[in-house]
């Protein structure tokens, strides 16, 4: 069955230098199980092909039913140098919520 | 000792909602108003202002705001803590004293936290063996020393605690961590000690929730944002802190917004790296230990927080000049809006190539199509696109190349594809690029200190 990440989670993104941080928070325990299994370093890296040019790191926050991702080399040089309209990666959480998961 | 204090966030950045601090002091009871004004670039902007006028270099909104809220703060005994002193906290305090005098206040004690500005000490710091290497690239700071605009150490809560202990009603700091502003009154009121790392972490987490203002109370909320009521008068967050380290995040009832597990969680996840290692000058907080519980409408209890000892270093935020940039836009309407925008990009690039201009980077974005999500944007039938804004940006070490780029945009209107508009405001001017240089410095090389400035009747 295909589900949209958007239907089971919300999130927020921002910048840490040239890296973007994306926090994804699920609405219930089942959702957290699903993202732990399907939102891996590899699937997230593939999703952001052409946007993220560096390593992806993943951190688990089970108490908050959330995952935090760091996407390195993603913001065109970082907040002050970047020419991007979204130099701080503010819209990248929404971009990750576009993902569809086969569960 | 008080058994509870209420700390209210009044600003999430310099330029935030001007009336928010006023609402915080008038719409309910609070003990402290904390305001974060400093982002990474802000210090360099303030340094430039100070270079032009030695009396400037702080958030100039503060004196005007104080004029409005000081009588209320005096009456209700609300203390104000802010890092809006920027690179000139002394002048900021002077300006506040003047404003206070002008509205008939006869007694006021301001604590000023100093010692964070190390720009003039860079040479001796390098000589002492600390190369202030860029935390991302490892490069030593000597490589950009001539272009350095600002260098400030992030202090934590304890210098503010000292100011409060010495009777300050207002505390003005330079580069203090956003989290330190909120942790400080907890340490001061509850007598917490530095070696109680769980308590240091608890106050730090509360500070992280408060530091971006309404982002904790429904602003920029990616969950069910349409459920947020009264955005127009959104209430900024309040941390109700208890001596045992438990904190309840709430807001004034009469203001808009929402405090829920979802809104607080989004802010907790904002701009963090490894959640087990949230490093501040005061402690290392473990964000994976945080538990949240709804204990009433717009009341979220934050508890169970674990901390570890602080590290032997302070973080230093340096900024340096790194060339120039410019941006400009044109708007194309239906039909073939995207095709025309892509065509004009080719024309502009060809002209810039013929002119042999030197750019480190040129970027073209199609707003209305894929500027935010790039390759993830959905392909749509071009006939359904009503208009596209094409945005050109360039960056270069060569000022003249950027200046000439600015002169090549308007001509595209009469010398390129049709149905184009939206070029207003004249030629884009080159703006200076300020790059950011994060580094570490051993704590023993820097000493924060507090100066009390007061007015007595």
């Amino acid at each position: 069955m295909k589900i949209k990440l958007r239907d089971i989670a919300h999130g927020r993104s921002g910048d840490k230098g040239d890296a973007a941080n994306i926090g994804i928070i699920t609405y219930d325990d089942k959702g957290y199980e699903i993202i732990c299994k399907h939102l891996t370093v590899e699937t997230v890296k593939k999703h952001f092909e052409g946007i993220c040019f560096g390593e992806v790191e993943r951190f688990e926050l089970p108490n908050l039913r959330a995952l935090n991702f760091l996407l390195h080399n993603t913001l065109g040089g970082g907040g002050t140098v970047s020419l991007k309209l979204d130099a701080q990666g503010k819209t990248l959480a929404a971009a990750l919520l576009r993902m569809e998961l086969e569960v | 000792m008080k058994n509870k204090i209420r700390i209210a966030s009044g600003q999430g950045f310099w330029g935030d909602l001007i009336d928010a601090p006023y609402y915080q002091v008038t719409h309910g009871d609070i003990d402290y108003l904390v305001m974060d004004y400093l982002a990474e670039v802000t210090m360099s902007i303030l340094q430039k202002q100070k270079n032009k006028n030695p009396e400037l270099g702080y958030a100039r909104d503060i004196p005007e705001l104080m004029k409005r809220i000081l009588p209320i703060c005096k009456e209700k005994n609300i203390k104000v803590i802010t890092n809006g002193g920027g690179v000139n906290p002394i002048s900021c305090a002077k300006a506040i004293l003047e404003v206070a005098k002008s509205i008939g206040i006869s007694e006021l004690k301001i604590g000023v936290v100093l010692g964070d500005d190390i720009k003039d000490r860079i040479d001796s710091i390098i000589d002492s063996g600390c190369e202030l290497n860029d935390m991302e690239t490892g490069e030593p700071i000597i490589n950009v020393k001539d272009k350095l605009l600002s260098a400030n150490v992030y202090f934590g809560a304890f210098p503010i605690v000292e100011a409060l202990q010495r009777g300050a009603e207002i505390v003005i700091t330079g580069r203090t961590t956003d989290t330190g502003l909120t942790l400080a009154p907890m340490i001061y009121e509850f007598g917490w000690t530095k070696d109680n790392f769980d308590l240091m972490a608890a106050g730090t987490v509360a500070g992280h929730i408060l530091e971006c203002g309404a982002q904790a109370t429904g602003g920029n909320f990616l969950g069910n944002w349409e459920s947020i009521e009264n955005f127009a008068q959104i209430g900024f967050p309040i941390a109700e802190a208890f001596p045992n380290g438990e904190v309840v995040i709430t807001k004034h009832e009469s203001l808009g917004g929402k405090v829920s597990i979802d809104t607080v969680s989004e802010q907790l996840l904002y701009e963090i790296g490894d959640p087990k290692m949230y490093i501040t000058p005061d402690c290392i907080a473990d964000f994976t230990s945080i538990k949240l519980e709804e204990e009433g409408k717009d009341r979220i209890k934050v508890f169970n927080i674990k901390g570890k000892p602080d590290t032997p270093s302070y973080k230093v935020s340096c900024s340096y000049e790194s060339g120039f940039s410019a941006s400009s836009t044109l708007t194309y309407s239906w039909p073939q809006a995207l095709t025309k925008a892509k065509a004009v990009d080719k024309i502009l690039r060809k002209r810039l190539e013929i002119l042999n201009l030197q750019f480190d980077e040129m970027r073209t974005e199609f707003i209305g199509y894929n500027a935010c999500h790039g390759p993830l944007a959905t392909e749509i039938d071009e006939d359904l696109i009503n208009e596209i804004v094409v945005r050109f940006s360039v960056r270069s070490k060569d000022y003249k190349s950027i200046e000439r780029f600015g002169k090549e945009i308007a001509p595209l209107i009469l010398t390129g594809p049709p149905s184009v508009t939206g070029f207003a405001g004249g030629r884009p001017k080159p703006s200076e690029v300020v790059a950011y240089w994060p580094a570490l410095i051993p704590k023993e090389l820097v000493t924060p200190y507090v100066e009390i400035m007061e007015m007595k009747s």
Side-chain angles (χ1 to χ4, degrees):
Chain A
M1 184 181 69
K2 254 199 172 136
I3 60 162
K4 289 178 179 151
L5 181 56
R6 194 185 164 193
D7 293 333
I8 61 165
H10 58 116
R12 178 166 293 172
S13 53
D15 63 325
K16 286 194 77 66
D18 193 22
N21 115 284
I22 306 179
I24 295 293
I25 305 149
T26 52
Y27 293 111
D28 55 33
D29 292 340
K30 177 103 194 315
Y32 184 60
E33 257 175 55
I34 293 172
I35 63 166
C36 278
K37 191 174 166 197
H38 293 275
L39 245 56
T40 63
V41 163
E42 293 75 26
T43 57
V44 170
K45 171 90 185 161
K46 188 164 189 304
H47 184 74
F48 283 105
E49 219 170 10
I51 297 173
C52 170
F53 299 99
E55 190 199 345
V56 172
E57 289 184 88
R58 183 183 105 148
F59 304 97
E60 295 175 8
L61 296 96
N63 286 358
L64 303 178
R65 293 190 301 241
L67 293 175
N68 184 42
F69 293 93
L70 271 184
L71 278 59
H72 294 274
N73 194 359
T74 295
L75 298 177
T80 52
V81 174
S82 175
L83 297 180
K84 289 187 132 184
L85 179 71
D86 187 13
Q88 292 167 310
K90 299 270 187 192
T91 67
L92 292 180
L96 184 48
L97 292 187
R98 286 174 175 272
M99 198 192 258
E100 290 189 339
L101 310 171
E102 186 68 53
V103 297
Chain B
M1 185 180 82
K2 288 184 185 159
N3 60 11
K4 179 177 97 175
I5 53 169
R6 282 164 62 89
I7 305 164
S9 156
Q11 289 281 279
F13 65 99
W14 189 7
D16 206 349
L17 208 63
I18 287 176
D19 284 335
Y22 180 73
Y23 287 159
Q24 289 292 50
V25 299
T26 53
H27 280 246
D29 289 334
I30 59 167
D31 300 293
Y32 287 87
L33 177 70
V34 296
M35 293 182 289
D36 172 32
Y37 280 95
L38 302 181
E40 282 155 4
V41 219
T42 319
M43 295 306 267
S44 59
I45 297 167
L46 292 171
Q47 187 64 51
K48 279 185 194 169
Q49 292 176 359
K50 191 184 175 187
N51 292 346
K52 282 182 197 152
N53 179 349
E55 296 300 313
L56 296 180
Y58 58 88
R60 270 183 285 173
D61 293 351
I62 292 179
E64 194 57 34
L65 170 69
M66 287 299 170
K67 199 174 194 169
R68 238 175 130 193
I69 67 169
L70 207 46
I72 304 160
C73 293
K74 277 274 189 190
E75 187 200 321
K76 294 183 162 182
N77 193 21
I78 298 167
K79 290 180 174 146
V80 181
I81 303 172
T82 178
N83 59 13
V87 296
N88 201 347
I90 290 277
S91 287
C92 183
K94 275 187 196 160
I96 295 169
L97 287 173
E98 269 173 40
V99 159
K101 203 175 161 191
S102 77
I103 55 171
I105 288 172
S106 55
E107 286 183 30
L108 185 65
K109 206 168 193 179
I110 303 178
V112 185
V113 175
L114 299 162
D116 63 303
D117 192 341
I118 57 164
K119 185 170 175 285
D120 296 334
R121 287 178 50 204
I122 290 287
D123 286 326
S124 70
I125 288 166
I126 295 171
D127 287 346
S128 74
C130 172
E131 294 194 313
L132 294 169
N133 304 78
D134 186 313
M135 285 167 75
E136 282 165 24
T137 66
E139 248 185 280
I141 202 158
I142 199 128
N143 295 3
V144 295
K145 203 181 73 96
D146 298 338
K147 298 175 199 154
L148 210 59
L149 290 168
S150 66
N152 295 79
V153 176
Y154 283 84
F155 288 151
F158 281 89
I160 299 171
V161 174
E162 188 196 323
L164 293 171
Q165 282 166 343
R166 289 170 64 185
E169 303 161 79
I170 298 173
V171 184
I172 304 292
T173 81
R175 189 61 275 194
T176 290
T177 55
D178 319 343
T179 55
L181 304 176
T182 299
L183 170 60
M186 300 185 199
I187 296 172
Y188 168 66
E189 296 280 2
F190 303 143
W192 291 354
T193 52
K194 197 171 169 33
D195 54 359
N196 198 327
F197 308 116
D198 291 348
L199 293 176
M200 294 300 111
T204 297
V205 168
H208 182 85
I209 295 170
L210 258 53
E211 75 183 29
C212 294
Q215 269 208 143
T217 51
N220 190 25
F221 176 54
L222 190 48
N224 185 8
W225 68 271
E226 284 170 303
S227 72
I228 308 296
E229 286 171 17
N230 194 8
F231 270 117
Q233 279 188 298
I234 192 162
F236 276 41
I238 295 169
E240 221 169 78
F242 299 87
N244 66 357
E246 284 183 10
V247 172
V248 173
I249 302 298
T250 185
K251 66 175 188 69
H252 288 320
E253 207 185 329
S254 54
L255 296 173
K258 184 181 194 168
V259 183
S260 69
I261 286 183
D262 292 345
T263 64
V264 172
S265 297
E266 279 198 21
Q267 179 52 27
L268 280 172
L269 270 289
Y270 183 61
E271 286 183 351
I272 65 165
D274 180 348
K276 283 182 188 291
M277 297 285 288
Y278 185 92
I279 302 171
T280 76
D282 302 305
C283 67
I284 298 175
D286 180 357
F287 275 40
T288 66
S289 64
I290 301 170
K291 288 188 178 172
L292 302 178
E293 198 177 283
E294 188 170 345
E295 67 158 40
K297 187 176 182 287
D298 292 317
R299 290 182 65 82
I300 299 299
K301 186 163 102 173
V302 187
F303 62 108
N304 191 55
I305 295 157
K306 304 292 173 219
K308 283 176 278 191
D310 57 320
T311 69
S313 313
Y314 284 122
K315 190 174 174 185
V316 189
S317 147
C318 307
S319 64
Y320 63 100
E321 289 169 351
S322 181
F324 305 89
S325 69
S327 265
S328 193
T329 60
L330 293 171
T331 302
Y332 288 86
S333 85
W334 183 96
Q336 288 185 291
L338 185 58
T339 303
K340 288 183 285 193
K342 284 181 174 171
V344 82
D345 179 44
K346 279 199 182 127
I347 297 164
L348 176 64
R349 282 174 188 263
K350 184 77 191 166
R351 286 185 188 160
L352 297 176
E353 190 191 313
I354 293 166
L355 290 165
N356 197 24
L357 302 182
Q358 305 299 312
F359 300 116
D360 296 332
E361 191 188 349
M362 173 167 178
R363 184 176 177 85
T364 309
E365 294 171 308
F366 302 98
I367 300 173
Y369 172 58
N370 69 352
C372 290
H373 291 176
L376 288 165
T378 318
E379 285 301 330
I380 53 170
D381 178 355
E382 190 176 38
D383 207 43
L384 300 176
I385 298 177
N386 290 309
E387 64 225 8
I388 289 286
V389 177
V390 55
R391 177 178 185 266
F392 307 107
S393 313
V394 287
R395 177 161 42 80
S396 175
K397 300 276 179 288
D398 178 39
Y399 183 88
K400 286 208 163 79
S401 291
I402 299 290
E403 194 181 37
R404 183 58 199 258
F405 159 85
K407 295 177 181 172
E408 290 299 319
I409 308 300
L412 291 162
I413 297 169
L414 302 189
T415 63
S419 46
V420 54
T421 184
F423 184 80
R427 289 168 173 162
K429 292 203 170 56
S431 55
E432 288 174 39
V433 174
V434 175
Y436 174 63
W437 185 285
L440 294 174
I441 190 169
K443 280 185 173 163
E444 62 270 16
L445 288 185
V446 195
T447 313
Y449 61 101
V450 175
E451 227 175 271
I452 299 288
M453 293 171 63
E454 64 186 313
M455 184 166 73
K456 289 180 195 163
S457 59

